[in-house]
Amino acid sequence: MNLSFLEASITTMLQHSPVPEGASPVAPLDNPESLIRILEKLLKNAPAVPKSGSGKSEGVRWACGLIKNLAKSEENAAMLGKTDIPKCVVENVRNSQTPPSRWTSNSLEDFSLFVILNLAQWPVSKESLVDAGAVDVVKPIMAEGDLQGLKATMACSFLGASWGDFPETGSAAAKSISELMTNIIEKKGKDGQYAYGVFKLYTATKAYRDLSDAAAEDEASTKVLAVPSAVALCFQVVSDLVMAADDEANGGSKYVPDVKSAEYSAGAICNMLPAILQAGDPPRKSIQTEKACGELATMFTQYSKLEGTSEEGKECALKAAEEIKAAGSSARPILEISHDLWTQYRKREGQPLDQFINQEKGIEVDESGPLDFLPCVNSD
């Protein structure tokens, strides 16, 4: 299992498929002696409620720990989804006699829920979990609120749970996942729950995007997710990738996001646009909103043109750019606050604040603007 912590090796490990000397190679899924089939056999032959501390239970537990690490690879997940392993780990959680709040680190249940989480994030293996009834098994664990609750929440978002399935009308899920995104970017863990490096940014951002998918049917639900700090964080992930791709830009970020994380962040913004762009009451003009709309529209447009951006990422970015640009005529409070938080972050990182300002058009100031105290403004 220790070797599986080296992520560069995990795809090669699951390809292990020994054959007699001189024989033709056999694909792992077709070879009963391959590593993947041995792991599957070990889990299938385990008792429904393994006796703690027995040699057999220890073997099953560490096999699940190995699978947890191997399932971080999409290529491995595709193979694992074609076995009975997803069904076995779901049954491990279903048959547990211990409340989730008492699961210890590296226990059979802890490892099994991690396997469910890692397999759920990949489309190639997600359906095998759905078929095994994973959603109904994992849903009750979301209410735990600790590490197991976080894992269950992200797994349910990946598996397509409905918005009503998330406790506290989704607010607990939104808070825990956005906190995880922040901690990953700031390269820190959470005391008593997880260390830095346990979760990847693309996992956290995808969970937030999928959670926003569940909320997207109702504007009131998207408001739960569209907290300015979380919105600003999504802006930050996308803009940091744009900055990293610009050889001429000065400054940068201590955490350079991957292409997938930026795509998922852009997708989350798209889903939350109705809440982000909600007009103030009463309606009024705002130079700050106009400035925010201009910068963000430019940033998302630049992101859509980056090499490596997927078609889905481009579509979300261009939709966001178009709708945000068109919203500048009236004050948008959530957008303003989110933009301000994003700007403060860029100042701290020493990034050029004119990076996304359209130089071709300035911002008009009318008599009700911030310069209305000058004599030359009220010329009458």
Side-chain angles (χ1 to χ4, degrees):
M1 177 175 170
N2 287 344
L3 186 59
S4 68
F5 284 102
L6 181 63
E7 291 191 21
S9 71
I10 59 177
T11 302
T12 305
M13 287 180 66
L14 204 60
Q15 291 292 333
H16 181 65
S17 180
V19 294
E21 188 175 351
S24 299
V26 179
L29 290 173
D30 298 328
N31 184 356
E33 303 303 319
S34 67
L35 175 60
I36 191 171
R37 288 303 184 190
I38 290 173
L39 290 170
E40 178 188 38
K41 191 184 305 180
L42 187 59
L43 267 61
K44 287 177 70 175
N45 293 338
V49 184
K51 184 178 179 182
S52 179
S54 69
K56 194 162 192 177
S57 71
E58 287 296 281
V60 172
R61 180 166 73 91
W62 288 111
C64 287
L66 173 58
I67 295 167
K68 176 205 82 169
N69 290 343
L70 296 176
K72 292 178 181 178
S73 156
E74 185 174 11
E75 185 177 339
N76 284 351
M79 293 175 60
L80 291 165
K82 295 176 181 177
T83 69
D84 285 335
I85 289 174
K87 180 181 177 181
C88 291
V89 293
V90 170
E91 291 305 306
N92 288 344
V93 175
R94 191 196 306 271
N95 296 329
S96 176
Q97 304 297 302
T98 308
S101 60
R102 294 175 56 195
W103 292 354
T104 57
S105 178
N106 295 347
S107 64
L108 175 64
E109 295 92 343
D110 178 53
F111 280 147
S112 296
L113 186 54
F114 254 126
V115 174
I116 292 171
L117 170 62
N118 289 341
L119 290 177
Q121 71 179 316
W122 305 115
V124 291
S125 50
K126 180 172 84 170
E127 290 306 317
S128 62
L129 291 169
V130 173
D131 293 341
V135 176
D136 289 337
V137 172
V138 173
K139 266 195 304 186
I141 305 173
M142 289 195 286
E144 292 299 322
D146 56 6
L147 173 60
Q148 307 306 341
L150 173 62
K151 286 153 57 178
T153 297
M154 290 197 290
C156 283
S157 70
F158 295 146
L159 293 171
S162 64
W163 182 252
D165 291 329
F166 294 94
E168 300 177 31
T169 61
S171 60
K175 181 180 178 181
S176 62
I177 298 176
S178 62
E179 179 186 40
L180 175 61
M181 290 163 58
T182 300
N183 288 343
I184 294 171
I185 289 173
E186 295 182 356
K187 298 188 176 181
K188 65 181 184 181
K190 185 174 183 180
D191 290 344
Q193 292 199 27
Y194 53 84
Y196 170 69
V198 171
F199 298 103
K200 299 297 184 184
L201 185 59
Y202 59 74
T203 300
T205 51
K206 186 177 191 297
Y208 208 76
R209 193 279 308 271
D210 290 357
L211 190 63
S212 70
D213 279 341
E217 295 180 2
D218 178 23
E219 184 177 331
S221 299
T222 61
K223 288 181 183 178
V224 175
L225 291 166
V227 178
S229 58
V231 174
L233 195 62
C234 291
F235 291 161
Q236 175 183 327
V237 172
V238 177
S239 68
D240 277 352
L241 185 68
V242 174
M243 291 290 295
D246 188 346
D247 295 332
E248 298 181 1
N250 298 318
S253 169
K254 63 183 177 182
Y255 191 102
V256 178
D258 58 280
V259 173
K260 280 292 184 185
S261 296
E263 175 188 323
Y264 299 143
S265 296
I269 291 296
C270 254
N271 288 335
M272 295 187 291
L273 281 175
I276 295 172
L277 299 181
Q278 186 174 40
D281 187 18
R284 59 181 176 82
K285 287 187 67 66
S286 167
I287 293 176
Q288 187 177 348
T289 290
E290 188 175 348
K291 180 177 186 293
C293 289
E295 285 193 53
L296 290 166
T298 299
M299 185 267 286
F300 278 110
T301 301
Q302 289 185 13
Y303 162 67
S304 73
K305 297 177 181 178
L306 290 185
E307 186 177 352
T309 301
S310 68
E311 287 303 316
E312 185 177 355
K314 289 179 182 178
E315 183 179 343
C316 288
L318 291 175
K319 178 185 176 184
E322 181 181 4
E323 293 193 21
I324 290 174
K325 186 176 182 179
S329 60
S330 183
R332 316 285 171 175
I334 293 177
L335 183 71
E336 286 186 8
I337 300 171
S338 303
H339 174 267
D340 184 58
L341 292 172
W342 175 56
T343 302
Q344 289 178 29
Y345 159 77
R346 293 164 63 208
K347 284 180 181 177
R348 291 195 303 271
E349 295 295 317
Q351 296 180 0
L353 298 184
D354 61 350
Q355 177 75 15
F356 304 115
I357 292 178
N358 188 341
Q359 303 294 342
E360 296 178 1
K361 178 183 177 182
I363 296 176
E364 295 181 2
V365 179
D366 60 21
E367 293 186 2
S368 62
L371 302 181
D372 61 0
F373 64 90
L374 294 176
C376 60
V377 173
N378 296 304
S379 54
D380 292 344

